[in-house]
Amino acid sequence: MRAATVALAAPLSAEDQVAQSMPDASPTKWHLAHTTWFFETFLLSSQPSYRVFDETFTYLFNSYYNAIGERQPRAERGLLTRPALTTVHEYRAHVDEAMAPIVAAPSEEQATLLELGIHHEQQHQELILMDALHLLSRHPFPTPYTTAPLEPSVEQDQRWIRFGSDMAEIGHHGSGFSFDNELPRHQQLLTGFEISNRLVTNAEFAQFIADGGYHNPGWWLSDGWAAVSNRQLNRPIYWDEGTETLFDLHGTHEIDPHQPVSHLSFFEADAYARWAGARLPTEAEWEVAARQSAAEDGAARYRSGPTHHPVAATPGTTAFMGTLWEWTSSPYIAYPGFRAAPGAVGEYNGKFMNNQYVLRGGCHMTPPHHSRVTYRNFFPPHTGWQASGLRLAR
Ligand SMILES: [Fe+2]
């Protein structure tokens, strides 16, 4: 019997069930319908000839747009047993057909929304993998997403890259796509700093755990310590109690010491940095360093396509892009002069500019060419379900 050969996931207490049920996760079927709904809502619904596929879908597949109306609560998307997946695929085919003439000859406004819709869909492609990982990890018999072989990480010496004081320019410029939160490009004063050539590894994070890092309030911000104490946290969310194995899309396997440590919350990343005698970089420091790295490494992105686990960069490269989303110490707030787009689509980024922190770089699950050195991802400081790690600065 297959089940007898697989370790049963530890049962959770009622409190842990609430803490670990991850109300942020959505089913893959929901992601497919929601990204389709985005095109229907923002590009097709204003077309007089367009026939809405199903009037109930706006309630079911609106994510967070208050201007569009009421919606299924995020934490209850998993309860949507209907529509069936086949209906969601029919919905997509219906929307694809109606979109074809717009894709062939868009107006200027349509072209802007079409490009936004494609980048939005790429964001959800990455979220599908992160959510699938969480779902599989909570199965009583945790199952791998992929049977592909694991790629071992090569040890890379840690060294510091030095930057002098400078009035730096950060933010998107040029004609390529960016989200509104990357604008406008502006100046930020940087005092001299050093940033690590690589991300923090599993072996390094294990030293923090072995040194009692999760039991010493001196390393933690106040809210982080409250989370550690209340939820009795003592390791990254996908590590086993003995800190010998972790669960990722390849299933449960031995922790690779040289692999970048992943699925850290902001509080864990920040506490580790303090324990290590360093700090998290600001997003401006990160962006300046990543831009230089892109010029020196020859390519901003280390890997050419998504992998199912983070892999350390080849020695000699700095891999600012495409390994893990890297926590910065910067709160996610508007750049000076930021303006959200008019209309419902203006809710895309702007309204989330409080109580979250900026992450940079993209991760191994990010579709190729989706991220940029100016790209600002953001998550609340207590979440660790996204593929996030850290790079030290001082
Ligand atoms: Fe979305």
Side-chain angles (χ1 to χ4, degrees):
M1 201 172 86
R2 177 182 163 76
T5 64
V6 182
L8 186 66
L12 297 178
S13 68
E15 198 180 27
D16 277 353
Q17 280 177 28
V18 174
Q20 293 192 26
S21 65
M22 228 279 267
D24 294 345
S26 305
T28 301
K29 184 175 73 176
W30 187 90
H31 286 291
L32 294 174
H34 164 70
T35 51
T36 304
W37 170 87
F38 191 95
F39 291 111
E40 181 180 62
T41 301
F42 294 112
L43 280 139
L44 295 175
S45 63
S46 58
Q47 306 276 305
S49 60
Y50 179 70
R51 177 181 60 81
V52 170
F53 183 82
D54 186 317
E55 298 285 352
T56 68
F57 281 13
T58 275
Y59 182 90
L60 298 180
F61 302 122
N62 176 6
S63 51
Y64 53 64
Y65 297 89
N66 291 317
I68 306 291
E70 295 293 310
R71 59 207 164 268
Q72 175 77 354
R74 183 173 185 174
E76 295 183 8
R77 290 173 188 164
L79 304 180
L80 299 176
T81 55
R82 300 291 183 276
L85 180 60
T86 49
T87 310
V88 170
H89 283 154
E90 286 162 18
Y91 177 41
R92 180 59 181 223
H94 172 86
V95 166
D96 278 352
E97 192 182 331
M99 283 294 299
I102 295 177
V103 173
S107 68
E108 200 178 319
E109 187 191 4
Q110 285 171 331
T112 300
L113 289 167
L114 179 61
E115 199 172 24
L116 179 64
I118 292 167
H119 284 266
H120 171 252
E121 188 152 317
Q122 288 181 325
Q123 289 183 310
H124 280 273
Q125 288 168 5
E126 154 180 293
L127 286 171
I128 284 170
L129 287 173
M130 293 178 185
D131 289 359
L133 172 61
H134 186 77
L135 181 68
L136 292 169
S137 79
R138 291 311 314 145
H139 191 280
F141 305 100
T143 308
Y145 173 88
T146 176
T147 54
L150 273 165
E151 186 180 333
S153 285
V154 178
E155 184 169 13
Q156 180 171 191
D157 289 342
Q158 196 270 325
R159 61 181 176 83
W160 297 101
I161 308 169
R162 174 144 192 84
F163 290 83
S165 297
D166 190 20
M167 185 65 85
E169 288 215 338
I170 70 161
H172 182 76
H173 70 116
S175 56
F177 176 83
S178 76
F179 287 111
D180 56 3
N181 63 6
E182 297 165 57
L183 298 168
R185 190 171 174 87
H186 62 284
Q187 292 187 315
Q188 285 208 13
L189 177 63
L190 299 183
T191 49
F193 69 97
E194 292 183 321
I195 192 165
S196 178
N197 63 318
R198 63 161 172 79
L199 283 86
V200 171
T201 65
N202 284 333
E204 289 168 330
F205 200 82
Q207 287 172 20
F208 169 70
I209 296 173
D211 194 42
Y214 279 88
H215 303 289
N216 183 342
W219 306 128
W220 296 81
L221 290 169
S222 176
D223 287 350
W225 182 247
V228 165
S229 306
N230 295 339
R231 293 171 54 196
Q232 298 184 327
L233 303 178
N234 56 14
R235 61 193 189 278
I237 58 170
Y238 294 130
W239 285 29
D240 80 308
E241 185 84 47
T243 68
E244 287 175 359
T245 64
L246 59 73
F247 183 81
D248 65 16
L249 291 169
H250 295 264
T252 301
H253 57 83
E254 230 173 77
I255 292 174
D256 180 339
H258 308 310
Q259 180 177 298
V261 58
S262 183
H263 295 286
L264 297 184
S265 70
F266 170 82
F267 291 132
E268 290 172 312
D270 175 80
Y272 174 87
R274 197 166 293 114
W275 171 82
R279 60 174 174 81
L280 297 177
T282 67
E283 63 172 320
E285 289 169 342
W286 190 98
E287 185 171 322
V288 165
R291 192 171 285 122
Q292 176 176 302
S293 152
E296 290 182 353
D297 285 2
R301 190 187 164 83
Y302 169 54
R303 306 192 69 82
S304 58
T307 63
H308 293 121
H309 62 286
V311 181
T314 311
T317 65
T318 50
F320 275 82
M321 304 292 295
T323 305
L324 290 170
W325 287 106
E326 300 182 19
W327 284 109
T328 74
S329 62
S330 298
Y332 177 53
I333 55 175
Y335 282 168
F338 166 78
R339 273 204 204 137
V345 83
E347 293 186 47
Y348 200 105
N349 283 313
K351 72 179 185 181
F352 298 110
M353 291 173 171
N354 76 312
N355 297 336
Q356 310 209 45
Y357 283 85
V358 174
L359 302 92
R360 295 298 198 104
C363 74
H364 60 97
M365 298 175 180
T366 310
H369 313 299
H370 176 66
S371 195
R372 297 168 286 285
V373 292
T374 60
Y375 194 110
R376 307 174 80 200
N377 203 349
F378 50 91
F379 279 99
H382 62 276
T383 61
W385 57 265
Q386 68 285 339
S388 49
L390 80 150
R391 178 188 300 268
L392 296 175
R394 65 181 188 183

